[in-house]
Amino acid sequence: MKSIRIRPFAAALAILALAAQAQEKKPVTPAEMNYQAGGSPLATEPMYQATNPKAPPMTQAEFDRARQVYFERCAGCHGVLRKGATGKPLTPDITLSKGTDYLKVFIAYGSPAGMPNWLTSGEMDEKTVDLMARYIQHDAPTPPEFGMEQMKATWKVIVPPADRPKKQMNNFNLPNIFSTTLRDTGEVALIDGDTKKIINIVKTGYAVHISRLSASGRYLFVIGRDGKINMIDLWMEKPDTVAEIRIGLEARSVDSSKFKGYEDKFVIAGSYWPPQFVVMRGDTLEPLKIVSTRGNTVDKQEYHPEPRVASIVASHYKPEFVVNVKETGQTLLVDYSNIDALKITTIGTARFLHDGGFDSTKRYFMVAANQSNKIAVVDMKDGKLTQLVDVGKIPHPGRGANFVHPKFGPVWSTGHLGDETISLIGTDPVKNKQYAFKEVAKLTGQGGGNLFLKTHPKSQHLYVDTPLNPDAKISQSVAVFDIKNLDKGYTVLPIAEWADLKDDGAKRVVQPEYNKAGDEVWFAVWSAKNKESALVVVDDKTLKLKTVIKDPKLITPTGHFNVYNTQHDIY
């Protein structure tokens, strides 16, 4: 084990106690570390050096380097302002009293509460550990706000609505197009699901997080982690961006109004920083209304200065957007029927909300509170919390998967980042009331590190990925369950092996996605930017390889979204 140099008696007892705890604790898994430590676009944003005269001295170069490391590695857990998110606060009123030596051990070896062991895992060297121990004793620098003036400065209408096609000008089967994120190049690939050919590569923001469709299916909206939204018109001869805007400095979520009478009228997007959401015109992305999400937590009712906007969905029951606020644990139902008199219903659910989707009837929204190990069930018709369901460690459903269980009736399912289980939750309060909104069963998958699982109304299979598992055999394959015979366990499909890539890249297999017909399942085989990647298409009936899509332009493919299934919330 690596050792770290410390002064003999400076904080000896505290350090020995912490080191002993670190030896006894169950280590933070590589899957958890990879998930929590995703890089933030804020790492490159200019900020003033915030110094504290009581803190150990740092040069400007050291401060800038430490700030970059913090936003690349730490902000996802401890927050932009270091006031705590899924991890504990790291503000000077706490860190100064600990001292540099204690903090170096804390960073190097981790803690039982879930702090990664950055030194002994090899993720940081001793010099960086020392740098970070000093940095967190200084006041946290604050990124700039991003308001209406800044948004409008980035807003571009490339093709005005009046100049756009009046009908579809291409021969593509639009409902079967796939939008595939090319993560590290800041692009999405539009792929013809029928011919498996690339239609266009569209420049976007960095690391597009999701793709969403307008209610009509004409417009595709993608949002990068840097807050940039592209509005892509699928009716154009060659589908491409017709409007764009940046709505914040870091973001994850976007969606379009779905309720009858409001189709394609509004778009909403939420940001991590600043903590806010914005409602825009559905045909141009003109920003209309910005709403801050700063507020009090659902549990202790304490003020939180940076509650990030996680997932957003559009209700099918009312003219409402569902906005999930991560750190406060508040689910907001935003009534867009009158933008000038915006009505917001605040529902306390559970802290650390992340992603989720609807049950098969679309009445109930199922959202993961991942660090709380719960699924919150929100009733879209009655506008209230129906239930909090305890599940496994760090649920990460994507949008989840709906199917009819032979015993429990309709269920919605989620996998987990922190363990190998797949939780099945009953969703039928009418014919299967005794099972409704309870965890009715647990399946055992290949292991932790799951990000997405998927099925389809026309399929008898449930596919579960594990791209963040440290075992390459597991991260490069998927587990497939037979919905009609879940007790027999799963079949493993060697997706990366089928891709037959020419180099030794990571080949992580991520995000099963069905085509419109429900008879094909697509997977991204995700390697580094300088390695070959691919998309693999599997025949859902036979579980055999159907085709492999390779192209030099398919760089770091990750998430991919079928137009029809995304438009209609089929999963």
Side-chain angles (χ1 to χ4, degrees):
M1 176 180 287
K2 296 181 180 179
S3 62
I4 187 164
R5 291 189 295 274
I6 58 174
R7 292 188 294 275
F9 301 107
L13 292 177
I15 290 171
L16 287 172
L18 181 59
Q21 285 181 326
Q23 295 293 332
E24 294 170 1
K25 82 185 183 88
K26 186 177 180 181
V28 176
T29 66
E32 293 174 68
M33 186 181 295
N34 289 337
Y35 175 67
Q36 296 291 359
S40 165
L42 291 172
T44 59
E45 288 294 327
M47 302 178 200
Y48 290 110
Q49 179 174 354
T51 58
N52 189 320
K54 297 180 181 180
M58 299 187 77
T59 66
Q60 179 70 54
E62 286 180 322
F63 188 87
D64 289 342
R65 172 58 184 153
R67 182 174 62 82
Q68 181 182 6
V69 171
Y70 180 81
F71 281 106
E72 288 176 347
R73 292 291 188 182
C74 315
C77 277
H78 298 288
V80 170
L81 304 177
R82 302 211 306 266
K83 293 183 180 291
T86 53
K88 293 185 176 181
L90 294 175
T91 46
D93 60 312
I94 297 170
T95 55
L96 277 169
S97 64
K98 301 292 186 184
T100 302
D101 288 338
Y102 179 98
L103 294 171
K104 284 165 68 173
V105 174
F106 177 70
I107 295 168
Y109 298 112
S111 80
M115 173 73 174
N117 50 321
W118 292 111
L119 179 72
T120 54
S121 69
E123 296 291 328
M124 291 184 186
D125 58 22
E126 191 172 318
K127 183 178 179 180
T128 305
V129 168
D130 175 74
L131 186 70
M132 299 311 295
R134 288 182 287 136
Y135 173 77
I136 61 176
Q137 295 177 71
H138 287 266
D139 296 332
T142 303
E145 297 292 321
F146 204 86
M148 187 65 76
E149 181 181 356
Q150 289 76 22
M151 288 184 198
K152 286 197 171 181
T154 69
W155 173 47
K156 298 177 183 177
V157 180
I158 298 160
V159 182
D163 297 335
R164 295 175 197 166
K166 303 299 185 288
K167 61 180 181 179
Q168 183 179 335
M169 300 302 291
N170 57 60
N171 294 320
F172 301 119
N173 179 11
L174 298 188
N176 204 34
I177 285 177
F178 286 76
S179 173
T180 297
T181 296
L182 305 181
R183 187 184 188 278
D184 293 345
T185 61
E187 298 170 323
V188 293
L190 304 180
I191 303 175
D192 187 334
D194 293 350
T195 66
K196 315 299 189 287
K197 302 295 184 183
I198 295 176
I199 296 168
N200 195 16
I201 302 284
V202 180
K203 292 298 296 182
T204 62
Y206 169 70
V208 161
H209 194 65
I210 57 172
S211 299
R212 292 291 181 261
L213 273 295
S214 65
S216 66
R218 173 177 181 174
Y219 293 112
L220 173 71
F221 302 94
V222 301
I223 187 165
R225 289 192 175 209
D226 57 1
K228 182 180 178 182
I229 301 173
N230 288 66
M231 178 181 182
I232 299 168
D233 188 353
L234 299 178
W235 280 12
M236 295 173 69
E237 186 174 349
K238 185 177 184 181
D240 210 336
T241 299
V242 292
E244 64 182 39
I245 192 172
R246 194 177 183 193
I247 55 89
L249 299 177
E250 184 171 4
R252 296 292 189 278
S253 51
V254 66
D255 212 337
S256 175
S257 53
K258 298 286 196 301
F259 189 68
K260 186 176 181 180
Y262 295 90
E263 297 94 335
D264 296 24
K265 188 171 183 179
F266 298 113
V267 173
I268 186 173
S271 56
Y272 272 23
W273 187 269
Q276 62 191 28
F277 64 86
V278 58
V279 179
M280 297 158 277
R281 282 176 55 102
D283 57 352
T284 64
L285 296 182
E286 177 186 2
L288 301 173
K289 181 79 70 173
I290 301 172
V291 179
S292 172
T293 54
R294 292 178 171 102
N296 291 60
T297 62
V298 66
D299 47 5
K300 296 181 180 180
Q301 295 293 296
E302 295 174 339
Y303 177 75
H304 199 292
E306 51 167 308
R308 298 171 286 181
V309 176
S311 55
I312 295 177
V313 297
S315 172
H316 298 265
Y317 270 80
K318 297 177 184 177
E320 290 178 337
F321 292 120
V322 185
V323 178
N324 295 285
V325 187
K326 187 182 280 282
E327 277 69 34
T328 57
Q330 307 283 4
T331 295
L332 311 179
L333 305 184
V334 181
D335 184 338
Y336 54 74
S337 61
N338 186 343
I339 294 297
D340 295 324
L342 207 62
K343 296 178 182 177
I344 299 177
T345 300
T346 301
I347 301 173
T349 47
R351 292 193 67 192
F352 314 121
L353 296 171
H354 194 64
D355 54 355
F358 293 110
D359 78 307
S360 58
T361 69
K362 301 180 177 60
R363 173 170 176 173
Y364 298 98
F365 177 62
M366 321 281 288
V367 59
N370 55 19
Q371 293 294 331
S372 296
N373 302 328
K374 297 180 186 296
I375 298 295
V377 184
V378 181
D379 187 334
M380 295 288 93
K381 182 179 179 181
D382 293 342
K384 65 180 183 180
L385 176 66
T386 297
Q387 190 63 266
L388 290 175
V389 183
D390 291 321
V391 290
K393 186 178 181 183
I394 315 180
H396 193 287
R399 308 202 89 181
N402 290 296
F403 62 93
V404 178
H405 189 280
K407 176 180 178 181
F408 305 116
V411 296
W412 177 92
S413 52
T414 180
H416 299 86
L417 190 85
D419 66 35
E420 72 281 3
T421 64
I422 296 100
S423 293
L424 308 185
I425 298 172
T427 59
D428 180 9
V430 178
K431 295 182 180 179
N432 294 275
K433 186 176 181 179
Q434 69 272 36
Y435 304 126
F437 311 120
K438 301 174 183 176
E439 184 187 59
V440 294
K442 276 185 183 290
L443 308 178
T444 299
Q446 292 199 86
N450 165 249
L451 287 182
F452 301 100
L453 76 175
K454 193 66 66 76
T455 187
H456 188 278
K458 296 181 180 178
S459 173
Q460 70 174 41
H461 295 124
L462 173 69
Y463 296 82
V464 183
D465 71 15
T466 40
L468 295 185
N469 195 286
D471 185 331
K473 287 185 179 179
I474 295 175
S475 67
Q476 294 180 7
S477 61
V478 297
V480 187
F481 292 85
D482 182 343
I483 291 169
K484 297 179 180 178
N485 190 3
L486 292 168
D487 291 339
K488 75 175 184 180
Y490 55 82
T491 300
V492 176
L493 301 187
I495 301 297
E497 180 183 320
W498 287 348
D500 192 25
L501 300 178
K502 62 187 177 185
D503 57 38
D504 58 351
K507 305 175 187 175
R508 288 171 288 189
V509 175
V510 64
Q511 194 162 346
E513 178 77 355
Y514 283 81
N515 64 344
K516 178 182 181 294
D519 57 12
E520 290 179 355
V521 188
W522 292 39
F523 300 90
V525 183
W526 168 26
S527 285
K529 189 174 182 178
N530 61 343
K531 303 289 185 178
E532 186 181 29
S533 293
L535 299 176
V536 171
V537 182
V538 172
D539 186 312
D540 178 62
K541 297 293 187 293
T542 65
L543 300 184
K544 302 295 184 183
L545 174 65
K546 192 165 185 179
T547 190
V548 177
I549 304 172
K550 294 182 181 179
D551 191 290
K553 296 188 288 292
L554 288 178
I555 299 170
T556 59
T558 50
H560 42 279
F561 302 84
N562 174 265
V563 164
Y564 185 85
N565 294 335
T566 304
Q567 175 190 357
H568 295 281
D569 289 300
I570 296 172
Y571 32 80

